Amino acid sequence: MSSLSQQRMQRLTGSYLESPDGKPGIDASYRVELPERHSTFMEHNTDSEGGASPLSNGIASDGLASPGLQSVMSEESGEKQMYRTYGPRHSTEKELVPPVLPGYEKEVHHQPQPRRNKRYWIFLIIACITCIVIGLAVGLGVGLTRKSSSPPPAKTTTAPSSGAAPNPDQFLSKVGAFNGSGIALASESFGNGGYGSIVMYFQHHTGQIRQAQLSSNGDWEGGDVTQIVAVDAKNATPIAAVAYARNDTAAWHIFYINVNNTITEVTNSNTTNVWIPGPINALQLQAMDDLNVGLEACWYGSFYSDASYNHSPVPGLNTNTTTGNSSDQTVGIHLWYATNSTSFDSVGWTYGDSTWTQQQTFQGYNGHAGVGCYSWGPGSDTYVFFVNLDNEINILWKDLNTTLTGSASHPIDTWTRSDISIPVFQNSSMGYTNYLYAQNKDLSISGFNVTWAAENTTIPAGQKFTINGAKGLAGTHLSVTALPDYSGGNSLLTFYQTNGTDITEFVRDLEAGQWTSSSVPIPNS
C-alpha cells in the first residue's frame, strides 16, 4: 500500500506506475505504442553539451529567419535533385579526315589561303555585331515601353502557408521539450482553497504529452516518464486544457491532434486518477494535415467551478474572487480547430452529456495560426479570436442569452465581429487570462488589455505591454495564466519556447513591473 504522500502525488500528477501490491494504476486499454519521430518544426542550435542555444532574435547567422513553426517541410515534400547523365564515349571512335591525293601534297601544304576567304570572315563578323546592336536596341525599347505602359500587378490574398525547410530531421530536439511543443495550463487548486497550484501540459522530445505541476512555493515537479498523458500525439501538436469542478468532482479534459490528424480527447478526475479516452473521439474530427494547426478549447459559464478556491481577478470585476455554487445552469466546453489553411470548425459539449455536437464553420482565417477564447467571465457574452488572412487578430463575440431580444447592433446567439484588428506574426499563437497575448512580427510577445463589451469591445490607448525577455521562436505555442499569492497580490505567468528544447516561464506582477524568466525543468527521460 503506498504512503499518503505517494497517494497525494498520484492524485495531483496522474501517475500511473504500478502500485506496490501489484495492481495496475492505468487503464491498460489506453496504452498506445509510441510512434516514431521523423521530423520537427523549429530550428535551434546545438551546443557542445548536446543542448540548444537560443537563436539571436529568431534570426539565423546567415541572416535568414529561423524556420520556426511556419517553416517546416514534411519528408514527402522534400525537394528532389535532378541529375542528367550522358553515355560514355567509345574509345574506338576516330575522327574522319579526308585523304590527300597523290601529287597534291606539296600544293596543299604550301598554297596560301585565298584573300576572298579573309574578306568573307571580316564581313561575317561585322554583320554579327550589327545584328547584336540592333537586337539590343529593339529589346531595350520594347522593355522600356512595357514598363511605362503596364499597370502594377494587383494585390492578391493567398492562403497562408506553414512554409518549408530543408532536412527537417536536423531540427529534432534530443533533450527537454519537443521542438515546437504545444503548451497548456490548468488549475490544480479546486476544493482546497489553494494558491498558485497549476498543471502544465507539454510535448516531451520523445513525442509524449506529459504534465508537470507548479506548487504554491514556486517549485516545479513531475514531467518525467511517470507523468505521461498521451503517447499518440502528432509532432508539435497544439494542446488545449480545460479544468473545472462540478458536484464535488474536479475534472481535467486535454485535447490534442494525434498521428492520424484526428482531434483527440483524454479526461481525468480526482475520483479516478486515470487518463481515459474522451467522448469527442467518437466524432473522428479531422484537422488540417499540416505541421501548424490551430486548436483551442474553452469552458463556458460559472468560472470553472462550484467548489471554493482562490483565483486571480476576473476581467470586469477587478477584485480577487472566490468561487462557490455558481448560478449558471448551462455550462460546458467549446472547441475550435483548423480544417484547412483558411477555415476553422467549432464543436460543443454540455456538462453531463456523453456526446459532442458540431456547431459552425468560420471561414477567412489563418488555419496555421492559433485561436483564442474568453467565455468564463460575468455576463452571457462569449468571445473567440482568430488571425485573419492579413495577419491581424479579429475578435468575434456572441451573446448566449436567448431570452433577450436582439437588435441590429446586438444580435443574439450569433457570432459578430468587433472592430478590433491587431497586427501580429502570421502564424501567431494566442492566449488569454486577464490580457490577450500574441506574437508580434518581430517575434516578441505582447499583452493587450481588452475591455470586453460585445459590439463595443475596445483596447484603450496605451493598454499594451511587451515582455522584456527573450523573443519566442517563430510561431511558438504559448500559454498564459494569472495566479494569486499569499501576500494578497497577483502575478502574470507566460510560457513559450525560446530555443526549441525549452519551455520558458516569464513572471510579472499583475499591475506593472519588469518580467523575470526561468526555464521549466524538463527531464530528458
Side-chain angles (χ1 to χ4, degrees):
M1 191 70 178
S2 59
S3 66
L4 290 177
S5 62
Q6 288 175 322
Q7 292 180 9
R8 172 62 176 167
M9 182 55 64
Q10 288 181 346
R11 186 184 73 78
L12 289 178
T13 64
S15 175
Y16 321 124
L17 293 178
E18 184 177 274
S19 60
D21 59 5
K23 296 182 180 180
I26 185 172
D27 183 356
S29 65
Y30 183 59
R31 296 185 181 276
V32 183
E33 183 178 356
L34 179 65
E36 293 184 3
R37 303 286 156 184
H38 299 297
S39 64
T40 189
F41 316 104
M42 289 191 282
E43 181 176 8
H44 63 275
N45 299 330
T46 302
D47 59 26
S48 59
E49 297 180 358
S53 58
L55 296 177
S56 175
N57 296 333
I59 306 300
S61 60
D62 58 1
L64 299 178
S66 165
L69 282 178
Q70 88 290 0
S71 303
V72 186
M73 175 180 66
S74 65
E75 292 179 281
E76 292 81 3
S77 63
E79 182 179 356
K80 297 181 180 180
Q81 180 67 40
M82 302 297 293
Y83 294 92
R84 179 176 296 174
T85 58
Y86 297 87
R89 177 179 289 273
H90 296 289
S91 59
T92 56
E93 292 181 357
K94 303 290 183 181
E95 291 186 3
L96 297 179
V97 180
V100 179
L101 297 178
Y104 285 86
E105 282 184 311
K106 191 171 184 178
E107 283 186 37
V108 172
H109 183 69
H110 296 288
Q111 185 174 353
Q113 188 71 15
R115 290 182 59 85
R116 67 174 177 270
N117 287 346
K118 292 182 179 180
R119 293 174 182 171
Y120 170 81
W121 287 111
I122 291 173
F123 286 130
L124 181 60
I125 291 172
I126 293 173
C128 290
I129 293 174
T130 302
C131 291
I132 291 173
V133 172
I134 294 174
L136 288 174
V138 173
L140 182 59
V142 172
L144 291 174
T145 301
R146 288 181 177 176
K147 182 176 181 180
S148 61
S149 61
S150 300
K155 180 181 179 180
T156 58
T157 301
T158 59
S161 171
S162 61
N167 302 322
D169 284 347
Q170 69 177 302
F171 303 125
L172 274 169
S173 50
K174 308 298 183 183
V175 296
F178 196 90
N179 185 12
S181 171
I183 307 170
L185 302 173
S187 175
E188 188 74 4
S189 303
F190 296 125
N192 60 9
Y195 287 87
S197 181
I198 60 172
V199 181
M200 180 182 69
Y201 300 91
F202 67 97
Q203 190 168 27
H204 193 255
H205 75 268
T206 59
Q208 304 163 344
I209 294 179
R210 297 185 181 183
Q211 63 180 24
Q213 297 77 38
L214 175 64
S215 63
S216 58
N217 63 7
D219 294 334
W220 285 94
E221 301 172 347
D224 58 23
V225 71
T226 69
Q227 307 295 302
I228 296 174
V229 176
V231 297
D232 62 339
K234 70 179 295 183
N235 288 351
T237 176
I239 303 172
V242 172
Y244 58 89
R246 302 286 291 179
N247 300 321
D248 299 323
T249 300
W252 294 265
H253 295 241
I254 306 303
F255 304 91
Y256 61 95
I257 302 175
N258 71 16
V259 292
N260 297 318
N261 293 303
T262 303
I263 303 298
T264 306
E265 175 188 19
V266 292
T267 66
N268 200 346
S269 72
N270 60 352
T271 60
T272 63
N273 292 322
V274 174
W275 290 102
I276 61 175
I280 203 173
N281 301 346
L283 295 182
Q284 289 291 298
L285 303 174
Q286 291 297 299
M288 173 173 55
D289 183 6
D290 196 87
L291 300 172
N292 303 75
V293 184
L295 170 75
E296 185 59 289
C298 266
W299 176 262
Y300 65 89
S302 82
F303 202 86
Y304 296 126
S305 176
D306 61 5
S308 178
Y309 77 104
N310 294 289
H311 58 76
S312 61
V314 180
L317 296 182
N318 299 319
T319 59
N320 278 29
T321 305
T322 299
T323 61
N325 299 321
S326 169
S327 60
D328 290 348
Q329 298 299 312
T330 303
V331 294
I333 302 173
H334 289 141
L335 181 140
W336 295 265
Y337 67 98
T339 56
N340 57 58
S341 61
T342 60
S343 297
F344 284 81
D345 275 2
S346 65
V347 292
W349 173 80
T350 301
Y351 176 80
D353 287 353
S354 59
T355 59
W356 284 71
T357 303
Q358 291 182 319
Q359 295 178 321
Q360 185 174 338
T361 296
F362 297 80
Q363 297 181 337
Y365 297 103
N366 183 357
H368 300 292
V371 53
C373 48
Y374 171 48
S375 55
W376 57 88
S380 57
D381 295 334
T382 185
Y383 302 85
V384 63
F385 355 115
F386 301 104
V387 176
N388 65 23
L389 303 186
D390 293 322
N391 302 325
E392 299 170 333
I393 292 178
N394 291 158
I395 297 178
L396 285 68
W397 62 272
K398 181 179 182 181
D399 193 332
L400 300 177
N401 190 348
T402 56
T403 64
L404 299 178
T405 301
S407 63
S409 61
H410 190 98
I412 302 299
D413 204 28
T414 300
W415 285 108
T416 305
R417 177 179 163 182
S418 72
D419 293 332
I420 290 180
S421 294
I422 305 173
V424 293
F425 177 72
Q426 61 181 1
N427 290 347
S428 174
S429 179
M430 285 179 283
Y432 180 78
T433 300
N434 297 87
Y435 292 88
L436 192 164
Y437 295 77
Q439 187 169 33
N440 300 307
K441 293 182 178 180
D442 67 354
L443 306 185
S444 62
I445 307 295
S446 285
F448 303 85
N449 190 9
V450 181
T451 299
W452 305 101
E455 67 272 23
N456 296 318
T457 296
T458 60
I459 300 177
Q463 295 297 300
K464 171 188 175 181
F465 61 77
T466 299
I467 295 177
N468 55 300
K471 295 181 179 180
L473 292 180
T476 178
H477 292 287
L478 65 86
S479 192
V480 301
T481 191
L483 294 175
D485 53 49
Y486 287 107
S487 65
N490 296 275
S491 298
L492 297 177
L493 286 76
T494 306
F495 300 83
Y496 57 87
Q497 288 190 295
T498 64
N499 64 49
T501 66
D502 68 312
I503 294 178
T504 302
E505 172 188 4
F506 297 83
V507 181
R508 194 203 80 175
D509 182 78
L510 177 65
E511 300 300 330
Q514 295 295 309
W515 290 85
T516 61
S517 65
S518 61
S519 183
V520 177
I522 299 175
N524 290 330
S525 60

